[in-house]
Amino acid sequence: MGDRDEEEELQMALRMSLHGSPPAQPEPKRSKPPSPAGESPEAEARRKQRELMAAAAEKRLRAVAPPAAVAPPVAVAPLSAVVVPPPSQPMAVVAEQTSAPEDVKVESESTVVPMEDVKEAEVELEVDVGEEEKGEELHPELAEKLWLMVFGSGVSKAVLAQWSNQGIRFSSDPETAMGLVQHEGGPCGVLATVQAYVLKYLLFFSDNLGNPEVSDPSFALGQRRFYQSSFAARDDFSSLTEDGKTRALVHAMVEILFLCGTGKRAVVAFIGGVTREKVDAALEGLSLESAIDFQKVLRISMFTSRKDAFNMLLANIPLFQSRLGAMLFLISSLLSRGLDCIQADRDDPSQPLVTAPFGHASQEIVNLLLCGEAVPNVFDGKMDLGGGMSLKGIPNDVEVGFLTLLESLNLCKVGQYLKCPKWPIWVVGSESHYTVLFALNPNVQEENELEERESKIRRAFDAQDQSGGGGFIAVEGFQQVLRDTDITFPSDKLDDLCNAGVIVWSEFWQALLQLDKRAGGMKDPTGLMGKKQFTIYHFNGIAKSVLNGSGNTGGGSTPIQRPRICKLNVSVPPRWTQDEYLADVVSSSASGSKNDSVLSLAPPVQTACQHAPLVDCIRTRWPRAACSWSGDVPSIV
């Protein structure tokens, strides 16, 4: 049939559907034909226009046709199958229509037409891309369980107001255009973690934001290998486009949700009956103050395809930018993981995830978004307490990491999984707030020459240590260490070390510090071999007054309220253990003088060195790092 005849047929179907007079047996939807090879742009536009008009006509026909005349839509898995599956049954997935022929499949109501297709086709017929998602209602019991898990039974109105008035929106300030703005104190754990993933895509995947499946782990692996060379991301944040930032946000959301869903599924929670064009008007006056309120308006859709989830979120992003955005994304993450799994992850499931009395996101929420499990601790793996009891930590490698001021206060221990993520991006925790630290070059995580040398010698020494970790080896083992590490001591120094019949690590290390690196030692006359210098950025998304610079409006008026970004210059001396540091201090004190030819273990004295609580966090990752910056002091509160 020619193009003209086919278009006339479609126009007739549209007129019939608009007048409410469908045929007794409407023609089933045909399979989408493949794009012809060498198709011109004009022909492709006409083809897409016909396809969209056909889809719109069929939808209108289904809306007015008798139930028996329309094939049932694809079923969405019930929420109970998504969230709390019976132990004996696998989690349900989206059911497929089996009664219709293969080429008569009817798309689910939650299917969203990609925005770019609408633009390219230039369809004059109004096609509502952001048409409301029908989704699945929450069962009242599940709504109650979800509410108690998040807020508990005695949540205050102030906390609910914090979580009901925080959207996921980018800053309008050019300097912080890559950052999400925070207006309320409670949801910062969600915003900062989403921000970390957004930076991953803006910095290291900027050329691939148009690919809906860029969040697939196999794709990220190849990109990480590329960036492990000398390439670094750009810091011109003001040049970012709105479309690029939106796509980076959607990619971040998709990755987190599928991470929570063990890579197999993502559940998206949204407000029923809200279209993208009328989000603010629809949410005006809407109050979520109980599980009943949740149950009335909350809807969910489950996706097993990253592409489908990406398209749905992209088409409905205004809802997550609205005042309920942070809460909806938290709920989506919890449902993607499954409520029973969330409770099993936790050490104390009786406590709400949003902590009282200030409504902060708990460490379990942050860990859920970082590693896909709502574990309460930040160390690696599990800690066995004996008697069949254990504490749960981070189970495996993560894409973006976590540092905390609490570790510098000896209140916790962050493991290597979080300290050394795949990308140089960290959520930074303080006593009451979460911010983000990031570098433009993944090389900041690589060991320098001296650190690699230290690690090699230490491994060789430990391999000969038969004392059960006592830190000493026999002379025979020491000779093997020297051979394995290509170390050549002068004969008099070698006799001194072996005189006692055993070699202690601290004495061996002190001798290495005075042995030239050309002989396999650690002495470096240039002083450059053990140093690491790089630039790192800190972003605080909470909108506060800027103390200087463009933040002052002058004339005594109120300063501009905006997020803040700080660029820090970091210089890192070699990384030693505490025992070795103390040994060097004792040695230096006993000698009464400082020998400049010996590499100092003490913190370097620099006139430009500055201090702030953020520096203490940085030093948990890079011990005794010296930091400096210009402008306002970087704030982690």
Side-chain angles (χ1 to χ4, degrees), residues 476-510:
E476 294 78 8
F478 182 56
Q479 296 292 341
Q480 184 62 44
V481 171
L482 298 181
R483 289 191 292 269
D484 292 342
T485 55
D486 297 322
I487 296 174
T488 304
F489 276 112
S491 57
D492 57 337
K493 189 62 179 178
L494 186 61
D495 292 340
D496 290 341
L497 288 172
C498 300
N499 188 41
V502 294
I503 290 83
V504 181
W505 168 258
S506 59
E507 296 178 355
F508 174 41
W509 188 248
Q510 289 295 322

Side-chain angles (χ1 to χ4, degrees), residues 570-590:
V570 183
S571 177
V572 184
R575 182 187 63 226
W576 317 115
T577 67
Q578 185 67 15
D579 290 342
E580 293 155 4
Y581 173 72
L582 292 176
D584 180 72
V585 171
V586 172
S587 174
S588 299
S589 302

Side-chain angles (χ1 to χ4, degrees), residues 142-153 155 160 288-291 293-294 327:
L142 285 173
E144 180 71 22
K145 182 177 181 180
L146 178 62
W147 180 270
L148 292 176
M149 178 184 294
V150 177
F151 295 113
S153 57
V155 60
L160 289 177
L288 297 179
E289 298 183 352
S290 67
D293 295 335
F294 254 25
M327 181 188 291

Side-chain angles (χ1 to χ4, degrees), residues 607-622:
T607 56
C609 182
Q610 296 169 275
H611 185 264
L614 174 63
V615 177
D616 293 328
C617 295
I618 292 174
R619 287 176 177 170
T620 64
R621 173 61 181 85
W622 295 280

Side-chain angles (χ1 to χ4, degrees), residues 151-173:
F151 295 113
S153 57
V155 60
S156 67
K157 290 187 177 181
V159 169
L160 289 177
Q162 291 176 349
W163 284 87
S164 300
N165 291 283
Q166 181 60 68
I168 307 178
R169 294 184 176 182
F170 284 97
S171 168
S172 59
D173 186 80

Side-chain angles (χ1 to χ4, degrees), residues 274-517:
V274 177
T275 61
R276 61 178 290 136
E277 293 83 3
K278 303 176 181 179
V279 170
D280 293 335
L283 298 183
E284 186 176 356
L286 178 63
S287 176
L288 297 179
E289 298 183 352
S290 67
I292 296 177
D293 295 335
F294 254 25
Q295 196 273 333
K296 287 180 179 178
V297 300
L298 205 63
R299 301 292 182 269
I300 65 105
S301 289
M302 189 185 73
F303 299 89
T304 56
S305 162
R306 291 176 185 265
K307 182 178 180 180
D308 292 344
F310 177 88
N311 289 334
M312 184 271 187
L313 287 168
L314 182 62
N316 293 276
I317 199 63
L319 183 59
F320 290 90
Q321 295 172 331
S322 75
R323 65 181 181 87
L324 294 178
M327 181 188 291
L328 288 175
F329 186 71
L330 172 60
I331 293 171
S332 300
S333 303
L334 296 173
L335 296 180
S336 295
R337 174 65 176 157
L339 301 190
D340 283 351
C341 291
I342 293 289
Q343 295 296 68
D345 293 337
R346 310 173 65 194
D347 286 341
D348 186 1
S350 65
Q351 298 298 315
L353 291 170
V354 172
T355 61
F358 302 111
H360 296 139
S362 65
Q363 188 65 48
E364 293 157 312
I365 289 178
V366 175
N367 286 349
L368 172 66
L369 306 185
L370 288 175
C371 73
E373 298 183 14
V375 293
N377 302 294
V378 292
F379 50 73
D380 293 343
K382 292 184 178 181
M383 181 182 296
D384 188 2
L385 301 178
M389 299 180 62
S390 63
L391 298 177
K392 305 180 188 72
I394 306 300
N396 44 41
D397 292 335
V398 294
E399 293 290 312
V400 297
F402 179 77
L403 304 174
T404 175
L405 182 65
L406 301 181
E407 182 175 14
S408 69
L409 302 174
N410 294 320
L411 297 178
C412 70
K413 177 63 177 176
V414 180
Q416 292 302 302
Y417 287 148
L418 291 177
K419 281 186 179 176
C420 304
K422 297 176 182 177
W423 299 98
I425 307 169
W426 296 264
V427 176
V428 176
S430 68
E431 301 96 327
S432 59
H433 189 46
Y434 293 99
T435 54
V436 180
L437 189 73
F438 63 97
L440 304 180
N441 196 325
N443 290 344
V444 302
Q445 298 212 84
E446 295 180 2
E447 290 185 330
N448 60 33
E449 181 183 354
L450 196 57
E451 290 169 334
E452 291 178 354
R453 180 69 176 157
E454 174 202 355
S455 299
K456 180 179 180 180
I457 295 173
R458 186 72 211 219
R459 286 194 299 269
F461 188 93
D462 290 344
Q464 302 297 325
D465 189 350
Q466 304 297 320
S467 64
F472 59 88
I473 59 178
V475 173
E476 294 78 8
F478 182 56
Q479 296 292 341
Q480 184 62 44
V481 171
L482 298 181
R483 289 191 292 269
D484 292 342
T485 55
D486 297 322
I487 296 174
T488 304
F489 276 112
S491 57
D492 57 337
K493 189 62 179 178
L494 186 61
D495 292 340
D496 290 341
L497 288 172
C498 300
N499 188 41
V502 294
I503 290 83
V504 181
W505 168 258
S506 59
E507 296 178 355
F508 174 41
W509 188 248
Q510 289 295 322
L512 284 174
L513 293 176
Q514 301 176 56
L515 182 65
D516 192 277
K517 69 175 185 178

